């Protein structure tokens, strides 16, 4: 511009010129990359009409459980009890019985939409966890979720039944025993085909703990029935979990106490509800009982009994959130 050579110009440096040239080359590369990406996307464009939803494998939300309950034969089983009463352990034991055998009580495993969650919950009880004593983690407090197991008749390989188990923290049920308001909010109970109430046998047969354990369980049952959140069509099942921890030193006294408890439950609820009792030992610590002891009878009641015995959809009066109100509408037959 001023008649100077480039290398004599005070406003020019070779480094700046190289940077500009490099930037121009990079811009060309980016343009080419964009073109390549567009070509790739166009060549691999997916027809969205052919896409299918794939379940995450985690515990189901109310909305996800609702989709199953509306579309296929389903049983809803509420697992209720105080923290560490054995609710999750029972569920994992049932899953293990299906995964380790060809069949269980003439039924075969027919899939699960919550396999990943089952695996995560069962890991602490497996050898791979490097934990010497099998453990089951506590269910965290949070929104109501469900675990899913599908089973089918071994003889015909059809008649698939979908079992939807609540995965609710014991802390939630602990709050129910002392609060009528909380019991009224537990409207999920109105959709239950089976309400399974856990009593920890170790606590029931301990002179120190038995009174509190009995009061907690009966408090939950009384609160939910008085609030009307357990319908007469729901089967009430009392589970004495951890039966292997029954205190044998005071056997006669403990058996008498349990019979008094059973008589009280029959007297207060037997006329209105179908009540049954089960002694369960999922993982006997001393080997006294077989793995999953007592679970066979409980499982058969789940697949063979439902709220309604005929093809009918029963509407429920619900004024709370939409998802729950939709879920409560569907009560399917056997």
């Amino acid at each position: 511009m001023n008649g100077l050579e480039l290398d004599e110009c005070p406003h020019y440096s070779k480094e700046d010129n190289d940077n500009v040239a490099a930037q121009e080359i990079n811009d060309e590369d980016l343009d080419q990359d964009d073109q390549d990406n567009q070509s790739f996307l166009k060549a691999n464009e997916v027809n969205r009409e052919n896409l299918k939803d794939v379940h995450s494998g985690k515990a189901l939300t109310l909305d996800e459980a609702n989709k199953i309950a509306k579309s296929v034969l389903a049983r809803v089983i509420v697992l209720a009890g105080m923290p560490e009463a054995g609710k999750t352990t029972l569920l994992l034991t049932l899953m293990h019985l299906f995964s380790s055998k060809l069949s269980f009580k003439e039924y075969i495993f027919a899939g699960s939409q919550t396999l990943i969650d089952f695996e995560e919950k069962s890991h602490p009880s497996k050898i791979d966890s490097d934990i010497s004593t099998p453990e089951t983690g506590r269910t965290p407090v949070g929104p109501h979720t469900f675990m899913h197991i599908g089973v089918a008749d071994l003889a015909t390989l059809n008649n698939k039944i979908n079992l939807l188990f609540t995965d609710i923290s014991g802390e939630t049920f602990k709050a129910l025993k002392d609060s009528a308001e909380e019991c009224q909010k537990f409207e999920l109970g109105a959709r239950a085909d089976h309400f399974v109430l856990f009593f920890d046998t170790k606590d029931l047969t301990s002179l120190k703990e038995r009174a509190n354990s009995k009061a907690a369980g009966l408090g939950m049952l009384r609160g939910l029935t008085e609030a009307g959140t357990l319908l007469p069509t729901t089967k009430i099942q009392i589970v004495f979990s951890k039966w292997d921890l029954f205190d044998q030193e005071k056997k006669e006294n403990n058996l008498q106490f349990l019979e008094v408890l059973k008589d009280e439950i029959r007297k207060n609820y037997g006329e209105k509800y179908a009540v049954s009792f089960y002694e369960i030992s999922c993982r006997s610590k001393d080997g006294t009982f077989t793995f999953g002891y007592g679970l066979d009878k409980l499982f058969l009641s789940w697949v063979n009994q439902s709220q309604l015995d005929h093809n009918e959809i029963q509407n429920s009066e619900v004024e709370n959130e939409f998802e729950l109100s939709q879920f409560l509408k569907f009560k399917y037959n056997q």
Side-chain angles (χ1 to χ4, degrees), residues 248-302:
Q248 296 290 340
E249 292 185 4
K250 304 178 181 64
K251 181 177 179 179
E252 294 302 321
N253 179 273
N254 287 329
L255 288 175
Q256 183 179 4
F257 178 81
L258 292 180
E259 285 303 317
V260 171
L261 174 58
K262 290 180 183 179
D263 289 342
E264 185 173 347
I265 294 174
R266 291 191 190 101
K267 178 182 178 181
N268 292 333
Y269 308 102
E271 291 186 6
K272 188 175 182 179
Y273 298 88
V275 180
S276 53
F277 301 89
Y278 302 85
E279 299 162 0
I280 304 291
S281 176
C282 291
R283 295 194 297 239
S284 178
K285 292 187 176 181
D286 58 4
T288 304
F289 298 95
T290 58
F291 183 83
Y293 170 82
L295 194 48
D296 51 350
K297 295 179 180 179
L298 190 57
F299 165 73
L300 287 176
S301 73
W302 292 338

Side-chain angles (χ1 to χ4, degrees), residues 16-83:
D16 291 338
N17 191 53
D18 290 343
N19 289 339
V20 171
Q23 182 63 45
E24 290 176 351
I25 294 174
N26 289 337
D27 289 344
E28 292 177 1
D29 291 341
L30 288 174
D31 290 341
Q32 185 62 44
D33 288 343
D34 288 341
Q35 293 176 12
D36 292 343
N37 288 336
Q38 291 297 326
S39 299
F40 176 81
L41 292 174
K42 187 174 182 180
N44 294 274
E45 188 173 353
V46 178
N47 185 352
R48 295 189 175 276
E49 292 182 359
N50 295 328
L51 291 177
K52 294 183 179 180
D53 290 334
V54 178
H55 47 79
S56 66
K58 303 291 285 183
L60 303 174
T61 63
L62 266 172
D63 184 52
E64 292 167 334
N66 182 33
K67 291 179 181 178
I68 295 177
K70 288 196 296 184
S71 60
V72 295
L73 185 64
R75 303 275 192 268
V76 177
I77 299 130
V78 174
L79 303 179
M82 298 293 282

Side-chain angles (χ1 to χ4, degrees), residues 126-178:
K126 295 183 176 181
I127 295 176
D128 292 344
S129 67
D130 293 328
I131 298 176
S132 58
T133 303
E135 296 179 357
T136 302
R138 293 177 62 174
T139 303
V141 178
H144 296 171
T145 56
F146 299 80
M147 301 296 284
H148 169 252
I149 298 178
V151 298
D153 191 308
L154 177 62
T156 61
L157 298 182
N158 56 25
N159 190 31
K160 181 178 178 180
I161 300 173
N162 294 272
L163 303 177
L164 293 169
F165 299 91
T166 56
D167 186 28
I168 301 174
S169 169
E171 299 296 337
T172 299
F173 293 107
K174 188 175 180 180
L176 295 180
K177 72 181 180 67
D178 298 319

Side-chain angles (χ1 to χ4, degrees), residues 223-332:
L224 291 171
T225 53
E226 290 180 353
T229 47
L230 282 184
L231 303 181
T233 48
T234 297
K235 319 297 180 186
I236 294 179
Q237 299 173 310
I238 307 300
V239 165
F240 298 114
S241 61
K242 307 178 187 178
W243 191 251
D244 53 301
L245 300 182
F246 183 98
D247 187 352
Q248 296 290 340
E249 292 185 4
K250 304 178 181 64
K251 181 177 179 179
E252 294 302 321
N253 179 273
N254 287 329
L255 288 175
Q256 183 179 4
F257 178 81
L258 292 180
E259 285 303 317
V260 171
L261 174 58
K262 290 180 183 179
D263 289 342
E264 185 173 347
I265 294 174
R266 291 191 190 101
K267 178 182 178 181
N268 292 333
Y269 308 102
E271 291 186 6
K272 188 175 182 179
Y273 298 88
V275 180
S276 53
F277 301 89
Y278 302 85
E279 299 162 0
I280 304 291
S281 176
C282 291
R283 295 194 297 239
S284 178
K285 292 187 176 181
D286 58 4
T288 304
F289 298 95
T290 58
F291 183 83
Y293 170 82
L295 194 48
D296 51 350
K297 295 179 180 179
L298 190 57
F299 165 73
L300 287 176
S301 73
W302 292 338
V303 295
N304 292 321
Q305 300 174 8
S306 68
Q307 266 209 9
L308 303 179
D309 296 327
H310 47 85
N311 291 317
E312 180 180 336
I313 296 178
Q314 176 175 315
N315 290 316
S316 300
E317 293 295 330
V318 182
E319 298 179 354
N320 62 341
E321 60 187 273
F322 176 77
E323 284 186 4
L324 180 57
S325 66
Q326 292 300 304
F327 182 69
L328 292 178
K329 287 182 179 180
F330 293 91
K331 299 172 181 173
Y332 283 89

